[in-house]
Amino acid sequence: GQQLNQSPQSMFIQEGEDVSMNCTSSSIFNTWLWYKQDPGEGPVLLIALYKAGELTSNGRLTAQFGITRKDSFLNISASIPSDVGIYFCAGSNTNAGKSTFGDGTTLTVKP
Amino acid sequence: EAEVAQSPRYKITEKSQAVAFWCDPISGHATLYWYRQILGQGPELLVQFQDESVVDDSQLPKDRFSAERLKGVDSTLKIQPAELGDSAMYLCASSQYLGTGGGAFFGQGTRLTVV
């Protein structure tokens, strides 16, 4: 089936640094989604991307839908301690509704 | 703020026993999903409902798992009999329409431990 590869698997950064992570797929998706999951909680949707080449921001977060429709990138600027968590990318084909998730990037922010 | 409600939060059960999880989606959301998340991995879809109808259950182990959404509102996921490998977080999610590109609201999940 479809698989999403997220990298890096984990990141340890200093507070205030910028963060970049990405997600690649062997299949094309019509929609790319980025979620954040805190320990013991369900994922929370951060950004949704619906068009190839689209660049969308949500506060300090910026995500891009790759031109090939097989990849997506998430950037976090000026990281703060509450950015700690696991970031998941997910791909979806609109009519199907369901999402295929990557295995996540675990972010640790050192104060 | 509207949220997806799940219960119980935690469940410990012995293998070969039956276990059930309950989900109440956000009011008005027609699409409901059950995902399973193994520790260290991303969520994997088990079953998807549109109102009371199953849209996709291709990844549901139907020999032991069942799901229903009888009135198109809340939903129950059952495992019988539970196996050690079923230990995972079971997440329920909902979205307003089927064609929302998969962006969904997730509940807090039920952490299942099978001993």
Coordinates of all heavy atoms in Angstrom, one line a residue, chain A residues 28-96:
Chain A
I28 N 1.1 9.7 -5.5 CA 0.6 11.1 -5.6 C -0.6 11.2 -4.6 O -1.4 10.3 -4.5 CB 0.2 11.4 -7.0 CG1 1.4 11.5 -7.9 CG2 -0.6 12.7 -7.1 CD1 1.1 11.6 -9.4
F29 N -0.6 12.4 -3.9 CA -1.8 12.7 -3.1 C -2.4 14.0 -3.6 O -1.7 14.9 -4.1 CB -1.4 12.8 -1.6 CG -1.1 11.5 -1.0 CD1 0.3 11.2 -0.7 CD2 -2.1 10.6 -0.7 CE1 0.5 9.9 -0.1 CE2 -1.8 9.4 -0.1 CZ -0.5 9.0 0.2
N30 N -3.7 14.2 -3.4 CA -4.3 15.5 -3.7 C -4.3 16.4 -2.5 O -4.5 17.6 -2.7 CB -5.8 15.2 -4.1 CG -5.9 14.4 -5.3 OD1 -5.1 14.5 -6.2 ND2 -7.0 13.6 -5.5
T31 N -4.1 15.9 -1.3 CA -4.1 16.7 -0.1 C -2.9 16.3 0.8 O -2.7 15.0 0.9 CB -5.4 16.6 0.6 OG1 -6.5 16.9 -0.2 CG2 -5.4 17.4 1.9
W32 N -2.2 17.2 1.3 CA -1.2 16.9 2.3 C -1.7 17.6 3.6 O -2.1 18.7 3.6 CB 0.2 17.4 1.9 CG 0.8 16.6 0.9 CD1 0.8 16.7 -0.4 CD2 1.6 15.4 1.2 NE1 1.6 15.7 -1.0 CE2 2.1 14.9 -0.1 CE3 2.0 14.8 2.4 CZ2 2.9 13.8 -0.2 CZ3 2.8 13.6 2.3 CH2 3.3 13.2 1.0
L33 N -1.5 16.9 4.7 CA -1.9 17.4 6.0 C -0.7 17.2 7.0 O 0.1 16.3 6.9 CB -3.0 16.5 6.6 CG -4.3 16.4 5.6 CD1 -5.1 15.2 6.0 CD2 -5.1 17.7 5.7
W34 N -0.6 18.2 7.9 CA 0.4 18.1 9.0 C -0.3 18.1 10.3 O -1.2 19.0 10.6 CB 1.4 19.2 8.9 CG 2.4 19.0 7.8 CD1 2.3 19.4 6.5 CD2 3.6 18.2 7.9 NE1 3.4 19.0 5.8 CE2 4.2 18.3 6.6 CE3 4.3 17.5 8.9 CZ2 5.4 17.6 6.3 CZ3 5.5 16.9 8.6 CH2 6.0 17.0 7.3
Y35 N 0.0 17.1 11.2 CA -0.6 17.0 12.5 C 0.5 17.1 13.6 O 1.6 16.7 13.3 CB -1.3 15.7 12.7 CG -2.6 15.5 12.0 CD1 -2.7 15.1 10.6 CD2 -3.9 15.8 12.6 CE1 -3.9 14.9 10.0 CE2 -5.1 15.6 11.9 CZ -5.1 15.1 10.6 OH -6.3 14.9 10.0
K36 N 0.1 17.5 14.8 CA 1.0 17.4 15.9 C 0.3 16.6 17.0 O -0.9 16.7 17.3 CB 1.3 18.8 16.5 CG 2.2 18.8 17.7 CD 2.6 20.2 18.2 CE 3.5 20.2 19.4 NZ 2.8 20.3 20.6
Q37 N 1.1 15.7 17.6 CA 0.5 14.8 18.7 C 1.4 15.0 19.9 O 2.6 14.8 19.9 CB 0.5 13.4 18.2 CG -0.2 12.4 19.2 CD -0.3 11.0 18.7 OE1 0.5 10.6 17.9 NE2 -1.3 10.3 19.1
D38 N 0.7 15.3 21.0 CA 1.3 15.4 22.3 C 1.2 14.0 23.0 O 0.3 13.3 22.7 CB 0.7 16.5 23.2 CG 1.0 17.9 22.7 OD1 2.1 18.1 22.1 OD2 0.1 18.8 22.8
P39 N 2.0 13.7 24.0 CA 2.0 12.4 24.6 C 0.6 12.1 25.2 O 0.0 12.9 25.9 CB 3.1 12.5 25.7 CG 4.0 13.5 25.2 CD 3.2 14.5 24.4
G40 N 0.1 10.9 24.9 CA -1.2 10.5 25.4 C -2.4 11.2 24.9 O -3.5 11.0 25.4
E41 N -2.2 12.0 23.8 CA -3.3 12.7 23.2 C -3.5 12.3 21.7 O -2.6 11.6 21.1 CB -3.1 14.2 23.2 CG -2.9 14.7 24.6 CD -4.2 14.7 25.5 OE1 -5.3 14.8 24.9 OE2 -4.1 14.5 26.7
G42 N -4.6 12.7 21.1 CA -4.8 12.4 19.7 C -4.1 13.5 18.9 O -3.8 14.6 19.4
P43 N -3.9 13.2 17.6 CA -3.2 14.2 16.7 C -4.1 15.4 16.6 O -5.4 15.3 16.5 CB -3.1 13.5 15.4 CG -3.1 12.0 15.7 CD -4.0 11.9 16.9
V44 N -3.5 16.6 16.4 CA -4.2 17.8 16.2 C -3.8 18.4 14.8 O -2.6 18.5 14.6 CB -4.0 18.9 17.3 CG1 -4.6 20.2 16.9 CG2 -4.5 18.4 18.6
L45 N -4.8 18.7 14.0 CA -4.4 19.2 12.6 C -3.8 20.6 12.7 O -4.4 21.5 13.3 CB -5.7 19.3 11.8 CG -5.5 19.7 10.3 CD1 -4.7 18.7 9.6 CD2 -6.9 19.8 9.6
L46 N -2.7 20.8 12.1 CA -2.0 22.0 12.1 C -2.2 22.8 10.8 O -2.5 24.0 10.8 CB -0.4 21.8 12.2 CG 0.0 21.1 13.5 CD1 1.5 20.9 13.4 CD2 -0.3 22.0 14.7
I47 N -2.0 22.1 9.7 CA -2.0 22.7 8.3 C -2.6 21.7 7.3 O -2.2 20.6 7.4 CB -0.7 23.3 7.9 CG1 -0.2 24.4 8.7 CG2 -0.7 23.7 6.4 CD1 1.2 25.0 8.4
A48 N -3.4 22.2 6.4 CA -3.9 21.4 5.3 C -3.5 22.0 4.0 O -3.7 23.3 3.9 CB -5.4 21.2 5.4
L49 N -3.0 21.3 3.1 CA -2.6 21.8 1.8 C -3.3 21.1 0.7 O -3.4 19.8 0.7 CB -1.1 21.5 1.6 CG -0.2 22.1 2.6 CD1 1.1 21.4 2.7 CD2 0.1 23.6 2.3
Y50 N -3.9 21.8 -0.3 CA -4.8 21.2 -1.3 C -4.4 21.4 -2.7 O -5.0 20.9 -3.6 CB -6.2 21.9 -1.1 CG -6.8 21.6 0.2 CD1 -6.9 22.7 1.1 CD2 -7.3 20.4 0.6 CE1 -7.5 22.5 2.4 CE2 -7.9 20.2 1.9 CZ -8.0 21.2 2.7 OH -8.5 21.0 4.0
K51 N -3.2 22.1 -2.9 CA -2.8 22.4 -4.3 C -1.3 22.2 -4.4 O -0.6 22.8 -3.6 CB -3.3 23.8 -4.6 CG -3.3 24.2 -6.1 CD -3.9 25.6 -6.2 CE -3.8 26.1 -7.6 NZ -4.3 27.5 -7.7
A52 N -0.9 21.6 -5.5 CA 0.5 21.4 -5.8 C 1.2 22.8 -5.8 O 0.7 23.7 -6.5 CB 0.8 20.6 -7.1
G53 N 2.3 22.9 -5.1 CA 3.0 24.2 -5.0 C 2.6 25.1 -4.0 O 3.2 26.1 -3.7
E54 N 1.4 24.8 -3.3 CA 0.9 25.7 -2.3 C 1.8 25.8 -1.1 O 2.4 24.9 -0.7 CB -0.5 25.1 -1.9 CG -1.2 25.9 -0.8 CD -2.5 25.3 -0.4 OE1 -2.9 24.2 -1.0 OE2 -3.2 25.8 0.5
L55 N 1.9 27.1 -0.6 CA 2.6 27.4 0.6 C 1.6 28.0 1.6 O 1.0 29.0 1.2 CB 3.7 28.4 0.2 CG 4.8 28.7 1.3 CD1 5.7 27.5 1.6 CD2 5.6 29.9 0.9
T56 N 1.5 27.4 2.7 CA 0.5 27.9 3.7 C 1.2 28.1 5.1 O 2.0 27.2 5.5 CB -0.6 26.9 3.8 OG1 -1.3 26.8 2.6 CG2 -1.6 27.3 4.9
S57 N 0.8 29.1 5.8 CA 1.3 29.4 7.1 C 0.3 29.4 8.1 O -0.9 29.7 7.9 CB 2.0 30.8 7.1 OG 3.2 30.8 6.3
N58 N 0.7 29.0 9.3 CA -0.2 29.0 10.5 C 0.7 29.5 11.7 O 1.3 28.7 12.3 CB -0.8 27.6 10.8 CG -1.7 27.6 12.0 OD1 -1.9 28.6 12.6 ND2 -2.1 26.4 12.4
G59 N 0.7 30.8 11.9 CA 1.6 31.3 12.9 C 3.0 31.1 12.5 O 3.5 31.5 11.5
R60 N 3.8 30.4 13.4 CA 5.2 30.2 13.1 C 5.4 29.0 12.3 O 6.6 28.6 11.9 CB 6.0 30.0 14.5 CG 6.0 31.3 15.3 CD 6.7 31.0 16.7 NE 6.0 30.0 17.5 CZ 6.4 28.8 17.7 NH1 7.5 28.3 17.1 NH2 5.6 28.0 18.4
L61 N 4.4 28.3 11.9 CA 4.5 27.1 11.0 C 4.2 27.5 9.6 O 3.3 28.2 9.3 CB 3.4 26.1 11.5 CG 3.8 25.1 12.6 CD1 4.0 25.9 13.9 CD2 2.7 24.2 12.8
T62 N 5.0 26.9 8.7 CA 4.8 27.0 7.3 C 5.0 25.7 6.6 O 5.9 25.0 6.9 CB 5.9 28.0 6.6 OG1 5.7 29.3 7.3 CG2 5.6 28.2 5.1
A63 N 4.0 25.3 5.7 CA 4.1 24.0 5.1 C 4.0 24.2 3.6 O 3.3 25.2 3.1 CB 3.0 23.1 5.6
Q64 N 4.6 23.4 2.8 CA 4.5 23.4 1.4 C 4.1 22.1 0.8 O 4.5 21.0 1.2 CB 5.8 23.9 0.7 CG 5.7 24.1 -0.8 CD 6.8 24.9 -1.3 OE1 7.9 25.1 -0.7 NE2 6.6 25.5 -2.5
F65 N 3.2 22.2 -0.2 CA 2.8 21.0 -1.0 C 3.7 20.9 -2.2 O 3.8 21.8 -3.0 CB 1.4 21.3 -1.5 CG 0.6 20.1 -2.1 CD1 -0.7 20.0 -1.8 CD2 1.2 19.2 -3.0 CE1 -1.5 18.9 -2.4 CE2 0.5 18.2 -3.5 CZ -0.8 18.0 -3.2
G66 N 4.5 19.8 -2.3 CA 5.5 19.7 -3.4 C 4.9 19.7 -4.8 O 3.8 19.2 -5.0
I67 N 5.6 20.2 -5.7 CA 5.2 20.3 -7.1 C 4.8 18.9 -7.7 O 3.9 18.8 -8.5 CB 6.3 21.0 -8.0 CG1 6.4 22.4 -7.6 CG2 5.9 20.8 -9.5 CD1 5.2 23.2 -8.0
T68 N 5.6 17.9 -7.3 CA 5.4 16.6 -7.8 C 4.2 15.9 -7.2 O 3.7 14.8 -7.6 CB 6.6 15.6 -7.6 OG1 6.7 15.5 -6.2 CG2 7.8 16.3 -8.2
R69 N 3.6 16.5 -6.2 CA 2.5 16.0 -5.3 C 2.9 14.7 -4.6 O 2.0 14.0 -4.0 CB 1.3 15.7 -6.2 CG 0.7 17.0 -6.8 CD -0.8 16.8 -7.2 NE -0.9 16.0 -8.4 CZ -2.0 15.3 -8.8 NH1 -3.0 15.2 -8.0 NH2 -2.0 14.7 -9.9
K70 N 4.2 14.4 -4.5 CA 4.7 13.3 -3.8 C 5.5 13.7 -2.5 O 6.1 12.8 -1.9 CB 5.6 12.4 -4.7 CG 4.9 11.7 -5.8 CD 5.8 10.8 -6.6 CE 5.1 10.1 -7.7 NZ 6.0 9.2 -8.4
D71 N 5.5 15.0 -2.2 CA 6.2 15.4 -1.0 C 5.6 16.6 -0.4 O 4.9 17.4 -1.0 CB 7.7 15.5 -1.3 CG 8.0 16.5 -2.4 OD1 7.1 17.1 -2.9 OD2 9.2 16.7 -2.7
S72 N 6.0 16.9 0.9 CA 5.6 18.0 1.6 C 6.6 18.4 2.6 O 7.4 17.5 3.1 CB 4.2 17.8 2.2 OG 3.8 19.0 2.9
F73 N 6.7 19.7 3.0 CA 7.7 20.1 3.9 C 7.0 21.0 5.0 O 6.0 21.7 4.7 CB 8.7 21.0 3.2 CG 9.4 20.3 2.1 CD1 8.8 20.4 0.8 CD2 10.6 19.6 2.3 CE1 9.4 19.7 -0.3 CE2 11.2 19.0 1.2 CZ 10.6 19.0 -0.1
L74 N 7.5 20.9 6.2 CA 7.0 21.7 7.3 C 8.2 22.4 8.0 O 9.2 21.8 8.3 CB 6.3 20.8 8.4 CG 5.8 21.6 9.6 CD1 4.6 22.5 9.3 CD2 5.4 20.6 10.7
N75 N 8.0 23.7 8.1 CA 9.0 24.5 8.8 C 8.4 25.2 10.0 O 7.3 25.6 10.0 CB 9.6 25.6 7.9 CG 10.3 25.0 6.7 OD1 11.1 24.1 6.9 ND2 10.1 25.6 5.5
I76 N 9.2 25.2 11.1 CA 8.8 25.9 12.3 C 9.8 26.9 12.6 O 11.0 26.6 12.7 CB 8.7 24.9 13.5 CG1 7.7 23.8 13.2 CG2 8.2 25.7 14.8 CD1 7.7 22.7 14.3
S77 N 9.4 28.1 12.8 CA 10.4 29.2 13.0 C 10.4 29.5 14.5 O 9.4 29.4 15.2 CB 10.1 30.4 12.2 OG 8.8 31.0 12.6
A78 N 11.6 29.9 15.0 CA 11.8 30.4 16.3 C 11.1 29.4 17.3 O 10.2 29.8 18.0 CB 11.3 31.8 16.5
S79 N 11.6 28.2 17.4 CA 11.0 27.2 18.2 C 10.9 27.6 19.7 O 11.8 28.3 20.2 CB 11.7 25.9 18.1 OG 13.1 26.0 18.5
I80 N 9.8 27.1 20.4 CA 9.6 27.3 21.8 C 9.4 26.0 22.4 O 9.1 25.0 21.7 CB 8.4 28.3 22.0 CG1 7.2 27.7 21.4 CG2 8.8 29.7 21.4 CD1 5.9 28.6 21.6
P81 N 9.5 25.9 23.8 CA 9.4 24.6 24.4 C 8.0 23.9 24.1 O 8.0 22.7 24.1 CB 9.5 25.0 25.9 CG 10.4 26.1 25.9 CD 10.0 26.9 24.7
S82 N 7.0 24.6 23.9 CA 5.7 23.9 23.7 C 5.6 23.4 22.3 O 4.6 22.7 22.0 CB 4.5 24.9 23.9 OG 4.6 26.0 23.0
D83 N 6.6 23.5 21.5 CA 6.6 22.9 20.1 C 7.0 21.4 20.3 O 6.9 20.7 19.3 CB 7.6 23.6 19.2 CG 7.2 25.0 18.8 OD1 5.9 25.2 18.8 OD2 8.0 25.8 18.5
V84 N 7.4 21.0 21.4 CA 7.8 19.6 21.7 C 6.6 18.7 21.3 O 5.5 19.0 21.7 CB 8.2 19.4 23.1 CG1 8.3 17.9 23.5 CG2 9.6 20.0 23.4
G85 N 6.9 17.6 20.6 CA 5.8 16.6 20.3 C 6.2 15.8 19.1 O 7.4 15.9 18.6
I86 N 5.3 15.1 18.6 CA 5.5 14.3 17.4 C 4.7 14.9 16.2 O 3.5 15.2 16.4 CB 5.1 12.8 17.6 CG1 5.8 12.2 18.8 CG2 5.4 12.0 16.3 CD1 5.4 10.8 19.1
Y87 N 5.4 15.2 15.1 CA 4.8 15.8 14.0 C 4.5 14.7 12.9 O 5.5 14.0 12.5 CB 5.6 16.9 13.4 CG 5.6 18.1 14.4 CD1 6.5 18.1 15.5 CD2 4.8 19.2 14.2 CE1 6.5 19.2 16.4 CE2 4.8 20.3 15.1 CZ 5.7 20.3 16.2 OH 5.6 21.3 17.1
F88 N 3.3 14.6 12.5 CA 3.0 13.6 11.5 C 2.5 14.3 10.2 O 1.8 15.3 10.2 CB 1.8 12.7 11.9 CG 2.1 11.8 13.0 CD1 1.8 12.1 14.3 CD2 2.8 10.6 12.7 CE1 2.1 11.2 15.4 CE2 3.1 9.7 13.8 CZ 2.8 10.0 15.1
C89 N 3.0 13.8 9.1 CA 2.5 14.2 7.8 C 1.4 13.1 7.4 O 1.5 12.0 7.9 CB 3.5 14.3 6.7 SG 4.3 12.7 6.3
A90 N 0.5 13.5 6.6 CA -0.5 12.6 6.1 C -0.9 13.0 4.7 O -1.0 14.2 4.4 CB -1.7 12.6 7.1
G91 N -1.1 12.0 3.9 CA -1.6 12.2 2.5 C -3.0 11.7 2.3 O -3.3 10.7 3.0
S92 N -3.7 12.4 1.5 CA -5.1 12.0 1.3 C -5.5 12.3 -0.2 O -5.0 13.2 -0.8 CB -6.0 12.8 2.2 OG -7.3 12.5 2.0
N93 N -6.4 11.4 -0.6 CA -7.0 11.7 -1.9 C -8.4 12.1 -1.6 O -9.2 11.3 -1.1 CB -6.9 10.6 -2.9 CG -5.5 10.4 -3.4 OD1 -4.8 11.3 -3.8 ND2 -4.9 9.2 -3.3
T94 N -8.8 13.3 -2.0 CA -10.0 14.0 -1.5 C -11.2 13.2 -1.4 O -11.9 13.1 -0.4 CB -10.2 15.3 -2.3 OG1 -9.0 16.0 -2.3 CG2 -11.3 16.1 -1.7
N95 N -11.5 12.5 -2.5 CA -12.8 11.8 -2.5 C -12.8 10.6 -1.5 O -13.9 10.3 -1.1 CB -13.1 11.3 -3.9 CG -13.4 12.4 -4.9 OD1 -13.8 13.5 -4.5 ND2 -13.1 12.2 -6.2
A96 N -11.7 10.1 -1.2 CA -11.6 9.0 -0.3 C -11.8 9.4 1.1 O -12.3 8.7 2.0 CB -10.4 8.2 -0.5

